[in-house]
Amino acid sequence: MIEIADTGKGTSIVRLTPARCNIFAVTRNGRTIIIDTGISFDRARIEHALERKAIVPEAVVLTHTHFDHAGNAAWLQAEYGAEVVVQEAESEYLAAGDTPIPEGTRAVTRGLVSLGKKVTPMFRYDPCQADHVFGETFDLNRFGINGYIIHTPGHSPGGATVVIDGVVALAGDSIIGTTPGKPFPPFADDVDLLLKSWRKIIDTGCETFLPGHGKPLIINELKEEFAKRLLAPGG
Ligand SMILES: [Zn+2]
């Protein structure tokens, strides 16, 4: 259970329910937005969790549109009237319900991707027309949330990181928390671009980082990995 009961500045961030990716509910003064949505298989569990917590999400922010993050955006929009927010480089993928998956950054995952390519239809999801498409940044105060989104491409072209209260960053698959000590994602479209985005993510000044998969990371873990990567580019 990942739960930040209070950022120290009045916002709670809770993992809504176990799902194919981390789905976070960000709540401030009774108003909630959802970050990422899992796959359609997760839908019943999401519905249950929203009901149990009496949440009606006002918005859905996608950290990117890979099938395991965008699978319930259309449903949350239709069912709850949640406004969907996505970075512009992936709004067309989202509208098509079809987002290309990235290359592996390590030999093992490269093999997995070539297997995956033969079965692409399983990576499709319900198409969704976004309500808000942004370029560099997006202000979340319109939903009552003290935060903003920045464009952090590299894992995918429309990668986005959500910064809450200036202390917690939800970075989607730009970072990964499934293997301790290895926060650099095993899949990325563009490793150099992802490193530039890491700079931006570190420069947010946040202390805690919530990944799209796995457990939270702290700033020093990111800084150490970043320093290593700079010494061995492409490593
Ligand atoms: Zn992804």
Side-chain angles (χ1 to χ4, degrees):
M1 173 99 184
I2 301 170
E3 177 163 350
I4 298 170
D6 191 331
T7 55
K9 297 184 178 176
T11 309
S12 78
I13 305 170
V14 174
R15 191 169 78 141
L16 191 62
T17 178
R20 184 65 175 72
C21 75
N22 285 334
I23 302 172
F24 293 105
V26 178
T27 304
R28 183 181 182 82
N29 297 327
R31 299 176 71 182
T32 298
I33 65 170
I34 301 286
I35 317 295
D36 285 340
T37 71
I39 58 173
S40 58
F41 181 80
D42 300 320
R43 197 163 296 176
R45 257 185 297 188
I46 296 170
E47 192 168 26
H48 216 84
L50 290 174
E51 207 171 291
R52 201 173 53 234
K53 296 173 198 284
I55 291 172
V56 178
E58 281 186 48
V60 167
V61 176
L62 297 172
T63 62
H64 64 301
T65 64
H66 288 148
F67 71 102
D68 51 334
H69 294 254
N72 291 303
W75 170 72
L76 286 161
Q77 187 185 48
E79 194 68 24
Y80 299 90
E83 296 179 16
V84 174
V85 185
V86 74
Q87 205 281 331
E88 65 187 354
E90 294 187 32
S91 61
E92 281 174 25
Y93 297 156
L94 183 64
D98 191 6
T99 303
I101 54 169
E103 296 296 327
T105 55
R106 296 198 288 259
V108 181
T109 46
R110 265 180 221 126
L112 287 176
V113 169
S114 47
L115 281 176
K117 272 185 180 144
K118 289 168 196 147
V119 286
T120 359
M122 70 177 282
F123 296 129
R124 299 227 168 155
Y125 52 92
D126 290 354
C128 174
Q129 206 71 47
D131 299 278
H132 305 278
V133 175
F134 69 95
E136 269 313 302
T137 62
F138 185 87
D139 189 347
L140 291 169
N141 280 283
R142 66 189 301 147
F143 305 120
I145 299 298
N146 180 36
Y148 58 92
I149 313 173
I150 52 173
H151 184 206
T152 50
H155 172 71
S156 65
T161 295
V162 181
V163 177
I164 301 296
D165 287 341
V167 292
V168 179
L170 300 93
D173 289 356
S174 293
I175 58 173
I176 187 153
T178 48
T179 313
K182 290 192 188 298
F184 200 80
F187 296 96
D189 279 348
D190 185 329
V191 170
D192 290 338
L193 191 56
L194 182 56
L195 280 170
K196 290 204 177 85
S197 291
W198 265 52
R199 179 82 266 169
K200 282 199 217 174
I201 291 169
I202 290 170
D203 284 349
T204 59
C206 290
E207 316 258 304
T208 305
F209 299 83
L210 302 179
H213 303 272
K215 299 202 172 97
L217 293 137
I218 56 167
I219 183 64
N220 284 348
E221 293 176 274
L222 293 203
K223 282 184 173 167
E224 270 169 37
E225 177 73 14
F226 188 65
K228 260 192 271 171
R229 294 270 160 182
L230 287 187
L231 289 174

